[in-house]
Amino acid sequence: MNKTSSLNRVLNLPTGILLVAGTMIGSGAFKKIAPMSQLGLSEIYILLAWIIAGVITMFGAFVYSGLASMTTETGGVYEYLRLMFGNFFSFLFGWSIFTIGGSGSIAALAFIFSQSVSSIFHLPDPFHSLKNISIGNFIFPFADSGIKIFAVIVMCLLTWINCRGVKKAGVLNNIVTAAKILGILLLILLGLFYTRPEQSVAAVSNTSLSLSGAAQFSALFAAMLSALWAYDGWANITYVTGEIKNPKRNVPIAVVAGVGIAMFLYTTLNYTFIKVLPLDQLAAIGQNKIAAAEVASVILGSTGSVLIASLIMICTFGALNACIITYPRVYFRMAQEGFFFKKVADVHPIYKTPNTSLIYSLIWSCVLVVTGTFDQLTNLVIFSGYLFFGLIAYGLIKMKRKGIITTKVIGYPFTPIVIMLFSAVLVVNTIVVQPKESFIGILLILSGVPFYYQFKRKQQAST
């Protein structure tokens, strides 16, 4: 029924820009100000964390814009790594996307979207009486059953839409992303015109002055990690290179423009949070509460909480759809090269979509939602991503020196060197601060090694 063939180039530049922005703008911008406020930093340092994280992300966008000239194939970062370093490292990257980054992000976004829906409409919990049943006292498949069931239904619906054509999925992304950008701009405007009662001259906290140099750097770095989680997903547009019109021109523009939009919105939005509520109140917000909802309720009362819940619904739904569009293209390209399950390279004969890859992604994401293990995986997304990010930046320098990449790269060689150094510091810091989680992340990536050699044997046998 299905056959291996090429995908259709139907996505234009505006869709590409909104796909980048749509993937990046999820729930992180609404929640991260609370844990950042608990680090003992002043308002200025918190905003600086957002700006530095945005600059690092923009440097990454410059690096990827240079790499985009190497290929017009689907797969993006996977394809760049394959061309620069061969099949082994590119496979491990693709495997980490399948096991951790991609599927974990899809599952987390679906769950958060479902939670947002439940906060307004109160989804039923049909298996509430079984919530304490566990597998190894680690996996609780029946906990939050109503939210999980709804999350699975939404993932199935979006996967079905994506199977019926990337252009349809792109149009849906454009509508939802435009809506959430307008919603965030509205919240920013309300915050900018809000005057905090009895606002004192000493509104800016001096808490950070009590921190030592090393402690202040560590706190700033932790705040940057929170911001980087919110910025994550900007490179996903490269995964659909094979469906972008004029990709060597449009992919670099889409990445840089999309990151610019997110950077402006995130920094301005967090400034308004700090303007409306002092840091001590933001720091006191509980883990189960959303900082943006607290801010909106101060400005608009109970209406504000409903507004934010609706906005988070729109944002996570859009980011979920964008992730479902992009991540399966990596597995599709891996299968085309013989380094994933053969059926995943199938293309729908009518809609010209990688429908089997979309279904594989759906199945694993559903498993992560039902088992609840996506929570642990999302903590590893930044760590696993930056393991390869530094390697990609080095690869750009390598390709430029060999003369394979001849296009001008903004800020070269400064930008890739900064990315390499930052990636090294982030990875080492994460290993030191979170050794258990880092070890699990490395194990999950290395779990792909036996699969790599199995796929390699099959590929060699078929040639």
Side-chain angles (χ1 to χ4, degrees), residues 25 180-181 184-185 188 260-270:
I25 302 170
K180 61 186 179 182
I181 289 174
I184 291 172
L185 287 173
I188 289 171
I261 290 169
M263 185 177 174
F264 168 77
L265 291 175
Y266 284 177
T267 306
T268 313
L269 182 64
N270 280 272

Side-chain angles (χ1 to χ4, degrees), residues 272-346:
T272 61
F273 290 163
I274 293 168
K275 184 177 182 294
V276 173
L277 283 178
L279 281 186
D280 57 344
Q281 290 185 34
L282 289 168
I285 293 172
Q287 189 175 0
N288 294 325
K289 292 185 178 180
I290 298 167
E294 298 297 309
V295 170
S297 65
V298 169
I299 301 171
L300 298 172
S302 58
T303 307
S305 298
V306 177
L307 172 68
I308 289 301
S310 303
L311 189 53
I312 291 176
M313 266 175 48
I314 295 169
C315 287
T316 50
F317 182 81
L320 174 61
N321 180 57
C323 287
I324 290 174
I325 291 173
T326 54
Y327 287 123
R329 269 67 183 178
V330 178
Y331 325 140
F332 168 76
R333 183 61 182 155
M334 291 167 72
Q336 280 189 320
E337 291 297 313
F339 285 94
F340 208 61
F341 305 103
K342 186 178 178 181
K343 287 287 291 179
V344 175
D346 287 348

Side-chain angles (χ1 to χ4, degrees), residues 360-409:
Y360 270 63
S361 175
L362 170 65
I363 292 169
W364 182 236
S365 298
C366 286
V367 169
L368 296 179
V369 165
V370 172
T371 59
T373 51
F374 65 87
D375 243 347
Q376 288 75 28
L377 291 183
T378 52
N379 293 332
L380 306 174
V381 169
I382 298 297
F383 172 74
S384 61
Y386 274 82
L387 275 174
F388 292 98
F389 199 9
L391 186 63
I392 290 163
Y394 167 72
L396 173 64
I397 296 173
K398 177 183 174 182
M399 294 294 105
K400 287 286 281 184
R401 286 180 174 176
K402 285 186 174 182
I404 296 173
I405 295 177
T406 57
T407 56
K408 183 180 179 181
V409 178

Side-chain angles (χ1 to χ4, degrees), residues 397-441:
I397 296 173
K398 177 183 174 182
M399 294 294 105
K400 287 286 281 184
R401 286 180 174 176
K402 285 186 174 182
I404 296 173
I405 295 177
T406 57
T407 56
K408 183 180 179 181
V409 178
I410 301 173
Y412 180 87
F414 177 71
T415 48
I417 290 172
V418 169
I419 293 298
M420 288 167 60
L421 293 174
F422 183 81
S423 297
V425 171
L426 187 148
V427 169
V428 171
N429 184 75
T430 306
I431 290 172
V432 172
V433 176
Q434 298 178 309
K436 181 182 175 182
E437 291 83 354
S438 303
F439 181 69
I440 293 171

Side-chain angles (χ1 to χ4, degrees), residues 12-200:
N12 56 24
L13 178 58
T15 298
I17 293 171
L18 290 175
L19 191 57
V20 175
T23 307
M24 294 176 70
I25 302 170
S27 62
F30 303 107
K31 302 171 73 174
K32 288 301 182 181
I33 188 65
M36 292 168 83
S37 301
Q38 297 164 5
L39 295 170
L41 294 170
S42 70
E43 286 94 335
I44 293 171
Y45 278 97
I46 289 173
L47 291 176
L48 186 63
W50 283 101
I51 293 169
I52 294 174
V55 170
I56 292 292
T57 304
M58 186 62 79
F59 281 4
F62 294 156
V63 169
Y64 279 38
S65 68
L67 294 172
S69 66
M70 284 200 306
T71 179
T72 58
E73 293 285 351
T74 280
V77 180
Y78 167 81
E79 188 67 6
Y80 304 155
L81 286 168
R82 189 183 71 83
L83 294 173
M84 292 187 295
F85 302 108
N87 290 317
F88 181 73
F89 285 110
S90 62
F91 174 81
L92 288 185
F93 170 79
W95 184 256
S96 73
I97 290 294
F98 182 70
T99 57
I100 304 173
S103 302
S105 294
I106 289 171
L109 286 166
F111 191 85
I112 294 169
F113 172 72
S114 190
Q115 278 183 320
S116 301
V117 172
S118 187
S119 70
I120 297 176
F121 301 107
H122 188 64
L123 297 173
D125 190 1
F127 301 114
H128 178 74
S129 61
L130 305 176
K131 67 176 183 177
N132 293 322
I133 295 176
S134 69
I135 301 172
N137 204 31
F138 173 66
I139 294 172
F140 295 83
F142 299 106
D144 300 310
S145 60
I147 290 173
K148 289 177 178 178
I149 291 168
F150 190 77
V152 169
I153 291 170
V154 171
M155 286 191 293
C156 289
L157 174 64
L158 288 176
T159 300
W160 177 75
I161 292 171
N162 274 269
C163 284
R164 293 180 65 83
V166 71
K167 193 169 185 179
K168 292 183 178 70
V171 169
L172 176 61
N173 173 77
N174 293 350
I175 294 169
V176 176
T177 302
K180 61 186 179 182
I181 289 174
L182 289 173
I184 291 172
L185 287 173
L186 173 62
L187 182 59
I188 289 171
L189 286 173
L190 290 171
L192 290 176
F193 286 102
Y194 176 80
T195 302
R196 195 159 67 194
E198 300 179 7
Q199 194 168 11
S200 65

